[in-house]
Amino acid sequence: VGCASTGDTSAALSAYCASAGIPSIVFLPANKISIAQLVQPIANGAFVLSIDTDFDGCMKLIREVTAELPIYLANSLNSLRLEGQKTAAIEILQQFDWEVPDWVIVPGGNLGNIYAFYKGFKMCQELGLVDRIPRLVCAQAANANPLYLHYKSGWKDFKPVRANTTFASAIQIGDPVSIDRAVYALQNSDGIVEEATEEELMDAMAQADSTGMFICPHTGVALTALIKLRQSGVIGPADRTVVVSTAHGLKFTQSKVDYHSKAIPDMACRFANPPVEVKADFGAVMDTLKTYLGNKSF
């Protein structure tokens, strides 16, 4: 079984293949994902090809390779992948006791996920389990935003983009393979596409982390969409909104270290929380703590 991946797909694929005793093959873009993302398929025994291209290049290559070799393609071009992803929509409804949320916000890269959520919600409506579906929001990084540009143009001719580097590396995709399905899902759910700059997504991630969540940058993209849509009044104060978190923050520790160290060029890092260096002296420690406590309101 094979996939092109920016990290998360390959982690899941390699784990399940290892458990089932099936060889897995992974195409990853070289030097464009975190070490933590790279190490998971390696640790799970996948045959990993680190290819000197971006995700779109990896996707093109694996489609060509799987047409010639007996390797089963597991990316979202595969309808079974979407059948698995749609179960997340069913879980959301189950966990809300079949009360439909008003909004569901999903980070978007290759765009199979936004269609899969639509598919799951629509199936539940057709089965009579719910009487409506949520409005869907697809959130993209501004550095890799072909769907957002397509949406802003009024769904006129879609144009792929060359994805620029983004901290949300798993959605650094300029030519998504599921573009048509994503547009269909959004048009049929009265959906919206929003984008997040690098500073916005990193600030949103830091704010979420301060509540104990420890999220990935892609979820920061989705939270930015929530913040913007609330501020503009599109999402009302009483609207029940679900933000889909797609990976764990432990895969992106370097970006968090850089943020809290204020080591990211041209970024204010407004919510940085760096450690305070203090001498090993009781008086110095007490002075520092008194200053800190004096600035806090409990």
Side-chain angles (χ1 to χ4, degrees):
V1 181
C3 73
S5 178
T6 46
D8 295 330
T9 296
S10 64
L13 179 80
S14 60
Y16 281 110
C17 283
S19 178
I22 299 171
S24 59
I25 297 171
V26 172
F27 286 23
L28 291 175
N31 304 316
K32 290 184 172 65
I33 66 171
S34 71
I35 295 297
Q37 288 173 293
L38 175 63
V39 79
Q40 285 186 280
I42 289 173
N44 288 326
F47 185 65
V48 178
L49 279 69
S50 181
I51 302 174
D52 184 22
T53 183
D54 56 12
F55 173 83
D56 295 312
C58 288
M59 191 72 230
K60 179 177 182 293
L61 281 168
I62 201 165
R63 291 175 72 175
E64 293 171 350
V65 167
T66 52
E68 299 292 332
L69 295 176
I71 301 169
Y72 186 80
L73 182 63
N75 285 98
S76 55
L77 283 168
N78 185 324
S79 60
L80 293 179
R81 165 76 177 272
L82 298 171
E83 292 301 306
Q85 285 180 307
K86 83 177 185 186
T87 62
I90 303 166
E91 284 189 61
I92 288 170
L93 294 174
Q94 285 177 317
Q95 290 176 19
F96 281 122
D97 291 328
W98 304 100
E99 290 185 16
V100 182
D102 298 294
W103 300 87
V104 175
I105 305 176
V106 186
N110 221 17
L111 303 181
N113 53 3
I114 193 76
Y115 175 73
F117 273 88
Y118 170 78
K119 190 174 172 66
F121 288 128
K122 192 65 180 175
M123 184 189 78
C124 290
Q125 183 187 35
E126 290 172 349
L127 289 171
L129 295 169
V130 295
D131 60 2
R132 63 185 178 89
I133 66 172
R135 292 185 68 182
L136 298 178
V137 178
C138 190
Q140 293 208 295
N143 281 2
N145 63 351
L147 181 68
Y148 176 77
L149 296 175
H150 190 33
Y151 169 74
K152 296 300 281 187
S153 74
W155 302 122
K156 295 195 173 80
D157 291 341
F158 172 74
K159 293 184 178 67
V161 302
R162 182 172 181 79
N164 294 313
T165 301
T166 170
F167 284 105
S169 57
I171 55 175
Q172 186 178 319
I173 298 169
D175 191 10
V177 298
S178 295
I179 178 64
D180 293 336
R181 288 182 289 204
V183 171
Y184 177 86
L186 289 160
Q187 288 179 336
N188 284 276
S189 63
D190 194 16
I192 292 173
V193 186
E194 189 52 87
E195 67 173 355
T197 66
E198 294 302 288
E199 187 153 13
E200 287 171 339
L201 72 90
M202 291 298 284
D203 282 346
M205 181 173 72
Q207 287 177 280
D209 286 353
S210 70
T211 71
M213 280 198 261
F214 209 67
I215 64 168
C216 65
H218 322 91
T219 309
V221 173
L223 284 171
T224 298
L226 171 61
I227 292 165
K228 286 182 169 181
L229 292 171
R230 271 292 295 117
Q231 288 175 342
S232 65
V234 174
I235 294 180
D239 288 356
R240 178 178 283 183
T241 305
V242 175
V243 174
V244 177
S245 182
T246 59
H248 197 280
L250 283 173
K251 292 186 181 184
F252 303 94
T253 50
Q254 189 58 54
S255 66
K256 294 177 184 287
V257 169
D258 291 345
Y259 181 91
H260 289 288
S261 303
K262 294 194 171 185
I264 303 173
D266 303 318
M267 190 176 292
C269 304
R270 290 188 298 138
F271 304 100
N273 182 33
V276 178
E277 294 186 11
V278 188
K279 291 181 180 178
D281 173 79
F282 175 77
V285 170
M286 286 295 290
D287 289 344
T288 301
L289 287 174
K290 284 178 180 178
T291 300
Y292 169 73
L293 294 171
N295 293 331
K296 300 291 283 186
S297 57
F298 295 97

